[in-house]
Amino acid sequence: MRLLLIRHGETPGNVLGQLDTDHPGPGLTELGERQAEAMARALANERIAALYASTLIRTQITAAPLARLHSLDIEVLDGLHEIEAGSLEKLTDHESHKRYMGTVISWAAGNLDQRMPAGPDGHAFFERFDAAIANVVERAVRERHGTAAVVSHGAAIRTWAGLRARGAGHDFAARHILANTGIVAVEGSLDAGWNLIHWDGSPVGGLALADPTAEDPTGRDVAAP
Ligand SMILES: O=C(O)[C@H](O)COP(=O)(O)O
């Protein structure tokens, strides 16, 4: 089956460069709302049979136009939420960004024992995200459908795909941006594992929907010095 892992639309926290991972989290900016509408239009011809969002409301708001267009319900799944920032929560400085993204990219390299300061380690993240993906796949197998869309988060998608998708890898995940409404597509199964099909790091509705001035720590190239 195919999984479209979609990052949510822009939030006020993304504009400020805030490490904002608490529940329920912020809604979208006006640009974020437009990104979500454009994402639905861009995916109008995709045969999406099931649509999932995380427990943070920004993903549910982002999924709403796509749900309307495809006449789908949004299923909110535990386990798809952003990687908790621990004691870095709400910080906006570059050292904190580096520490947060450095930790999650090291998980994508397989160093799962590393811990976010006062937060989770890589084992805890992969356990909950893998379990969520297993739920998505089991339903697809039961209902015999081929494509599911999963609206999740910058660090969570990059880290999961970096370790789990053949053709990605931690270095790739670090270097490839994942702007708001960027999409990482993987194909595979629980038994065979996952292959990277494409990594569209820009807003799927087009570059006119990008916000080059946003600080956005989880969306940018983190291999850059
Ligand atoms: O730094 C961020 O942008 C926040 O920590 C959360 O990531 P997200 O915007 O992809 O949810």
Side-chain angles (χ1 to χ4, degrees), residues 24 28 32 64 75 83 106 137 168 190 214:
L28 304 184
E75 191 170 327
I83 296 171
S106 80
V137 176
L190 293 179

Side-chain angles (χ1 to χ4, degrees), residues 31-123:
L31 175 64
E33 299 273 359
R34 285 193 285 122
Q35 290 169 334
E37 295 285 347
M39 184 266 283
R41 286 195 299 275
L43 298 181
N45 295 324
E46 292 280 340
R47 295 164 66 89
I48 298 168
L51 174 59
Y52 299 88
S54 80
T55 44
L56 290 159
I57 59 171
R58 55 190 176 274
T59 60
Q60 300 162 29
I61 299 169
T62 302
L66 190 62
R68 274 197 301 278
L69 200 75
H70 286 262
S71 302
L72 293 167
D73 292 328
I74 302 169
E75 191 170 327
V76 175
L77 263 192
D78 273 345
L80 295 176
H81 54 278
E82 186 54 299
I83 296 171
E84 298 86 345
S87 60
L88 305 175
E89 183 69 18
K90 300 291 186 290
L91 298 181
T92 55
D93 63 284
H94 285 186
E95 270 316 300
S96 301
H97 292 173
K98 266 176 73 177
R99 184 125 189 239
Y100 179 84
M101 288 308 290
T103 302
V104 304
I105 294 296
S106 80
W107 299 348
N111 301 319
L112 301 184
D113 291 340
Q114 279 217 28
R115 186 170 286 282
M116 195 63 77
D121 64 11
H123 298 283

Side-chain angles (χ1 to χ4, degrees), residues 7-11 13-15 17-22 26 54 56 58-59 81-83 85 89-91 97 100-101 152-157 178 180 215-219:
R7 188 175 175 213
H8 60 82
E10 184 185 74
T11 67
N14 295 150
V15 176
Q18 196 167 50
L19 292 162
D20 185 356
T21 68
D22 279 347
S54 80
L56 290 159
R58 55 190 176 274
T59 60
H81 54 278
E82 186 54 299
I83 296 171
E89 183 69 18
K90 300 291 186 290
L91 298 181
H97 292 173
Y100 179 84
M101 288 308 290
S152 178
H153 302 267
I157 295 172
L178 189 62
N180 296 109
E215 286 292 321
D216 191 16
T218 66

